Structures are given as C-alpha cells and as structure tokens.
Amino acid sequence: NLLVKNLHTPKRIVTLAYIEQKRTHQPLLQHFTDKFFMQQPVPSPREHRSGVVAVIGPPNSGKSTLLNRYLEQKIAIVTPLPQTTRNRILGIVTGTDYQMIMLDTPGLHKAREMMNQEMVRIAMDTLEEADIVLFLSDAEAMHALASDKKRLAKRYAELSNYLSKIQCPAVLALNKVDRLAKEALLPMIERFTSIHPFRAVVPLSALEGDGTDTLLHTLVEQLPVGPQYYPEDIPTDSTERFIVAELIREQVFLRTRQEIPYSTAVLIDAFKESPQPHQDGPVVIHATILVERGSQKGIVIGKQGKMLGEIRKAAIKEIEHLLYCKVQLKLWVKVKKKWTSNEQILRELGM
C-alpha cells in the first residue's frame, strides 16, 4: 500500500516485486528499490517472457478448468454450479522460455450480498496487477441467448461494462465450442470484437483440451520480457490448508442442492502432520463446515450422518491425492447466522 499510494507505483510491479522477494527472502521495500528502481532488467538471449495474466469472465465459463489443465494438477475446485470460485487463486505455468502467473478469479455477476460483492471486487482488482487480461466466455451460454435479442443485447452490455475497465492488452477465449456448430461462432466473435479491441480471439474447449495450446502460445507472445519469478516445480502460492478447505467445499457443492452450496464455507481448525518426517503416519485435519440456518445443518449432516460421511469420504480421496499421504479428516457442521455478511468471517476466508 505504501508503494502504490505514496510512491504512485503500478500495482502490477509491486505484485511482481512481492513474488520475487518471497523467492529471495529479502525485505520487500529494500528488494523493490534495489531491483526495480536502481536496476533495469536485461533480457536474456532467449528473450525469456514472464508476467501476470488475469483470467476473468462470467461464472461457470471454465476459468478454473483451464488453470488446472495448464498446471496439469488440481489447485482450483470445479463444479457445474456457477460462483464456485470465491477467492483469487494464483497458478504458475512455467515453460522453457516463459513463466505465466495466472490469476483465476470469481465469476463476474450482479452481486447483492456482501460476499458476492467481495467476489466481484476481487476479480476486478486483478486488472490492476495484470500484464494481460484473458477474458473467458462460455460460448454455449452466449449462443443459447441468440434467439432472444433483447436478453442477448443486455448480456453484451453487461460484459462491455466489465471490459471497459481493462487498461492492458486483452485476449478473448470462447470456451465450450465443442458443443456448438462452427458457424455459430462467427457472429459471436464479431459482437465481442465490436465492444472491445481484443489482441486475439481463440475458440477452445478447456475440458477437452482443444485449442488450449493455441491459447497458451497466444498469451506467451503477449507477455513482456522478464525473469523467472518462481522455481519451475512450484505450481501455486496457495497454502495446503487453503486448498484442503476448498476440496472439502467442492464436495459440499457437488452433493447438496438449491441454496445449500452458497450458504456454506469451510474453515480448517487443525492441520497436524506426523511429528517424525520419515514416519508414515497420517495427516490429521479438523475442519468446520459453516451454514447459515439450522435446517441447512440437518441437510449437510443427512440422515444418520450419511451425507456428511459421503462428503468426508470423497474429500479424503482428493486431499490424499494432493498431499501424497494418508489423511484422517474430522468434520463438524456449525450454524453461523448470516455469515455471508460477516466481515470477520469473510476476512478469515481470505476475502
């Protein structure tokens, strides 16, 4: 905040400096002045490229699916329900001559509740940090509106409002094109390019992988010349505790209906690893699932605890795949009225 507000330094540069100081363990302000004021980066002979790509778009457009595909592992949860992602999730995609720091964000939508307003704020704030914006749109959902011109025009007007905030190069990716006829794409591309000057438009299927290599090459070509900020074996800066909480919440989303997923959150109460590093003891995790009403608690627990048992069993499988070890998971369900409007709890959830 000091650097951005008092020294008028672009937020993107501060973000990159923060990433670099985490790698070098140097105090941020000292590192910033040494690295970014006193020295100018010298491009390597191979023109190594690096930078921040903010991935924004409507809910359920496939942003997390795309990030997981590029990382070749799951760090962002994915469900068929919109507004699954609530936090900004940083993924690091490293190649031989590039490092792309991707920021997966909550879906852009009309927000009424405090939590949803925070989600949209998180997404829009990433624009200040980005070298490139990747705007990901669900082509199937947009095509479904084609027969209703009034709704379609309203939707493009909403998207145009978000796109008008972008101040850096932007690439448009039309996702889920495997579910559409090719001739349906041309009017969509024409409409999108009429409301924003995209550097490139890439049709793709994040789930099937079609077009994802083309998109990766397009994004890398737009990145500025820069150093590698993270070791190549680091996929994210998210903690294991955060990802574990997300994996539990994913199972709640997948197994409950109606308003239940949107009224739940997961807090990690304890995360205990084996005291001996070479022992094969399990990681013991205690977690609390928050709900807003007593009736929701009953649904999440289920008859004789059946639903909670299914959530626990499925979450353990995902967590063990993440941690590469056995896991003991203990879950509690607690009622916290109106937690989605509680600033303290939202801060605890990283929002």
Side-chain angles (χ1 to χ4, degrees):
N1 288 337
L2 169 67
L3 293 168
V4 172
K5 294 178 181 178
N6 295 349
L7 300 182
H8 307 289
T9 309
K11 192 172 181 180
R12 180 187 69 81
I13 299 299
V14 177
T15 301
L16 295 178
Y18 173 69
I19 292 169
E20 178 73 357
Q21 70 87 25
K22 286 180 70 176
R23 181 176 69 84
T24 60
H25 306 289
Q26 188 178 8
L28 176 59
L29 190 57
Q30 176 187 342
H31 179 85
F32 188 91
T33 53
D34 290 349
K35 182 79 174 181
F36 290 89
F37 285 162
M38 299 174 65
Q39 298 179 13
Q40 293 297 323
V42 180
S44 65
R46 297 184 61 183
E47 292 286 297
H48 186 278
R49 295 180 179 272
S50 61
V52 177
V53 178
V55 187
I56 68 170
N60 212 27
S61 56
K63 299 181 292 294
S64 297
T65 300
L66 182 67
L67 177 64
N68 290 340
R69 173 167 289 278
Y70 282 149
L71 295 176
E72 299 182 349
Q73 60 180 287
K74 183 177 182 178
I75 68 163
I77 64 173
V78 177
T79 79
L81 300 177
Q83 301 169 30
T84 299
T85 301
R86 291 176 178 171
N87 303 76
R88 187 194 76 166
I89 299 175
L90 185 149
I92 305 146
V93 184
T94 303
T96 55
D97 57 357
Y98 67 87
Q99 187 167 79
M100 186 166 61
I101 301 164
M102 298 188 74
L103 305 180
D104 182 18
T105 64
L108 301 172
H109 63 285
K110 288 186 175 180
R112 295 179 176 85
E113 300 292 334
M114 180 183 293
M115 182 179 71
N116 296 82
Q117 292 171 358
E118 281 298 296
M119 289 163 60
V120 174
R121 181 194 61 77
I122 288 168
M124 296 307 292
D125 280 355
T126 63
L127 299 180
E128 298 182 30
E129 306 174 64
D131 294 289
I132 308 168
V133 169
L134 171 61
F135 191 87
L136 194 65
S137 179
D138 181 343
E140 183 184 31
M142 295 300 292
H143 180 65
L145 296 174
S147 60
D148 190 333
K149 293 184 178 180
K150 186 175 181 180
R151 288 182 61 200
L152 185 64
K154 182 179 179 181
R155 187 66 179 134
Y156 275 111
E158 292 171 356
L159 297 180
S160 178
N161 180 55
Y162 294 126
L163 290 167
S164 67
K165 307 297 193 299
I166 298 174
Q167 301 296 321
C168 62
V171 172
L172 172 65
L174 296 175
N175 193 22
K176 307 181 186 181
V177 297
D178 53 315
R179 304 177 187 178
L180 291 178
K182 290 184 179 180
E183 54 267 23
L185 289 176
L186 184 58
M188 197 179 306
I189 293 172
E190 290 178 346
R191 192 70 175 267
F192 266 110
T193 53
S194 72
I195 62 176
H196 191 81
F198 292 101
R199 291 287 182 89
V201 179
V202 182
L204 59 85
S205 170
L207 185 62
E208 300 298 330
D210 300 333
T212 54
D213 288 343
T214 300
L215 177 60
L216 179 62
H217 176 77
T218 301
L219 293 173
V220 170
E221 287 299 306
Q222 299 292 330
L223 289 174
V225 173
Q228 179 173 316
Y229 293 99
Y230 284 95
E232 61 186 24
D233 59 343
I234 301 296
T236 182
D237 68 345
S238 297
T239 65
E240 290 178 343
R241 292 173 70 105
F242 171 80
I243 299 176
V244 165
E246 288 287 275
L247 292 174
I248 297 169
R249 188 168 66 86
E250 179 182 45
Q251 298 308 317
V252 176
F253 262 66
L254 292 173
R255 284 168 169 74
T256 58
R257 296 292 181 267
Q258 297 178 353
E259 85 283 359
I260 301 296
Y262 304 105
S263 300
T264 57
V266 177
L267 299 174
I268 301 299
D269 304 312
F271 195 104
K272 301 176 182 177
E273 300 183 43
S274 173
Q276 300 297 328
H278 299 294
Q279 288 184 353
D280 295 328
V283 173
V284 179
I285 300 170
H286 294 189
T288 297
I289 301 174
L290 296 182
V291 295
E292 290 193 300
R293 298 196 301 272
S295 59
Q296 296 170 343
K297 178 178 180 179
I299 293 172
V300 173
I301 294 175
K303 187 177 181 179
Q304 297 180 337
K306 183 178 179 181
M307 176 63 76
L308 190 62
E310 291 178 357
I311 292 170
R312 174 183 168 276
K313 183 177 179 181
I316 286 176
K317 183 177 180 181
E318 293 285 345
I319 297 168
E320 287 182 342
H321 184 73
L322 170 72
L323 302 179
Y324 297 101
C325 67
K326 291 293 182 181
V327 169
Q328 286 184 4
L329 177 61
K330 298 182 180 181
L331 296 177
W332 287 265
V333 183
K334 294 182 181 180
V335 177
K336 191 73 174 179
K337 293 182 179 181
K338 298 183 179 180
W339 71 261
T340 55
S341 300
N342 187 311
E343 291 186 17
Q344 182 179 349
I345 293 177
L346 293 179
R347 283 198 298 269
E348 192 171 349
L349 294 171
M351 301 181 68

